[in-house]
Amino acid sequence: MVIYVDIFSFGNFIVNLFLLFVLVKSLGIKMNYKKCLLSSSIGTVYALLVLYSNLNIILSNLLIKLIVELLMVAVVVGHKNLMLLLKSSLLFLSFTFLLAGFMIFIEINGKSTIYLFIYRIRATDIITGIMILILILDRLYYFLKERISTTNYIFEIEINMFNKCIKINSFLDTGNELKEPITNLPVVLLEKDLIDDALIDADKCYLIPYNTADGTKGTMKAFKPERFAINKDGNFMEKEVIIAIADVKFSKENEYKALLNKALLI
């Protein structure tokens, strides 16, 4: 029997990824595709070593198999919670046995090949294709859901500053509760590339203290614009705000270049 490395690797990788997908859904934890891809790759490399390496007798040992399976699960669910890791490993093994049993059943009792129009296709290839389709549809569903959710929080804003007017998209950041300590005005964060902070008069400059979720502390240079307005349902509403200059990029796709304070739309 001839086994092609590329076909074997791809099929093994997809099966590993699908089993991890089912595991994550069963546990009700958030799907981390990077971790699942890494874990699937570990399983595929192991399978290739068993198939083609001179150490296949050692690597085929049951204890080694369990260690690799435990490592794959640990990559996805973490290793700090021992009970969760053991539970996840048992579930993963159960799903693996069920899938293997189903494949064997098809090979023995069903038709191992199916004719689709004029093409002769193996039943196992069709099952692999279904796995790929499920993975793609799941990713597409969450991508569209995230896009729709993000769109609902994007607002056009208009800022008059330093004798010019800019119109940009902004994102309503529900975690942005920054307020300027003296005026108590809400703070809107603006990307640094939109403004030359050298234009801010020293006597009109504010320093906004901030704390991030990772414990980082610091201050941002800020100023009060001549005019600030938010487009809500086609109408621009003027608001009093403080604009803080952030040395970060808020959106990789440039969908928005400012973060609104949630107090502005309450």
Side-chain angles (χ1 to χ4, degrees):
M1 181 179 179
V2 178
I3 299 177
Y4 296 97
V5 176
D6 52 350
I7 297 175
F8 174 80
S9 301
F10 179 74
N12 187 273
F13 179 82
I14 293 299
V15 170
N16 288 337
L17 188 60
F18 181 77
L19 289 172
L20 290 168
F21 166 79
V22 175
L23 174 66
V24 168
K25 294 297 180 182
S26 300
L27 294 172
I29 60 179
K30 186 177 180 181
M31 184 82 172
N32 187 316
Y33 281 91
K34 289 183 179 179
K35 290 183 178 180
C36 287
L37 291 172
L38 174 60
S39 179
S40 301
S41 300
I42 292 172
T44 302
V45 170
Y46 168 73
L48 286 171
L49 289 174
V50 170
L51 194 62
Y52 294 103
S53 171
N54 294 328
L55 301 173
N56 59 337
I57 297 177
I58 298 174
L59 293 174
S60 299
N61 183 278
L62 178 60
L63 180 60
I64 300 297
K65 289 181 179 180
L66 291 175
I67 291 174
V68 173
E69 181 267 341
L70 193 65
L71 176 62
M72 290 175 63
V73 174
V75 169
V76 175
V77 304
H79 61 277
K80 294 181 180 179
N81 190 329
L82 183 59
M83 289 302 297
L84 176 62
L85 180 58
L86 292 176
K87 174 186 173 183
S88 303
S89 299
L90 289 173
L91 271 175
F92 187 74
L93 279 175
S94 301
F95 294 144
T96 302
F97 291 147
L98 283 172
L99 181 61
F102 178 65
M103 295 291 227
I104 293 172
F105 175 81
I106 289 177
E107 289 290 335
I108 296 176
N109 299 303
K111 290 185 177 180
S112 59
T113 57
I114 297 173
Y115 284 92
L116 186 63
F117 301 108
I118 60 173
Y119 299 101
R120 187 169 177 262
I121 304 173
R122 293 191 308 168
T124 52
D125 292 337
I126 294 177
I127 294 172
T128 303
I130 293 172
M131 291 180 185
I132 295 172
L133 181 62
I134 291 173
L135 291 169
I136 291 174
L137 289 176
D138 177 77
R139 187 68 185 126
L140 183 62
Y141 167 76
Y142 282 102
F143 172 76
L144 293 175
K145 183 179 178 182
E146 184 178 338
R147 293 286 298 176
I148 292 171
S149 176
T150 300
T151 303
N152 291 336
Y153 285 90
I154 292 179
F155 296 87
E156 184 185 16
I157 60 174
E158 186 178 292
I159 307 173
N160 289 71
M161 56 185 184
F162 312 123
N163 299 319
K164 70 175 182 178
C165 176
I166 63 170
K167 284 186 178 182
I168 56 172
N169 284 333
S170 62
F171 182 76
L172 178 60
D173 182 7
T174 55
N176 178 12
E177 299 179 350
L178 285 173
K179 288 192 176 182
E180 199 282 314
I182 299 174
T183 61
N184 202 37
L185 290 176
V187 175
V188 174
L189 304 178
L190 192 68
E191 288 186 5
K192 187 176 182 179
D193 62 348
L194 292 174
I195 180 174
D196 182 3
D197 56 2
L199 296 174
I200 304 175
D201 293 336
D203 57 343
K204 295 181 180 180
C205 180
Y206 298 88
L207 291 177
I208 308 296
Y210 67 89
N211 295 318
T212 61
D214 61 3
T216 304
K217 297 182 180 180
T219 57
M220 292 180 290
K221 187 180 288 189
F223 66 97
K224 187 176 181 180
E226 300 161 17
R227 178 177 176 271
F228 180 89
I230 305 174
N231 186 349
K232 188 176 181 183
D233 301 325
N235 297 316
F236 276 93
M237 302 182 300
E238 291 193 20
K239 299 282 185 177
E240 279 196 283
V241 301
I242 298 295
I243 301 290
I245 304 168
D247 193 14
V248 293
K249 195 169 185 63
F250 300 129
S251 171
K252 293 179 180 178
E253 294 79 21
N254 286 320
E255 292 178 291
Y256 49 87
K257 299 182 78 66
L259 295 183
L260 293 178
N261 190 300
K262 71 176 185 178
L264 293 173
L265 289 169
I266 293 178

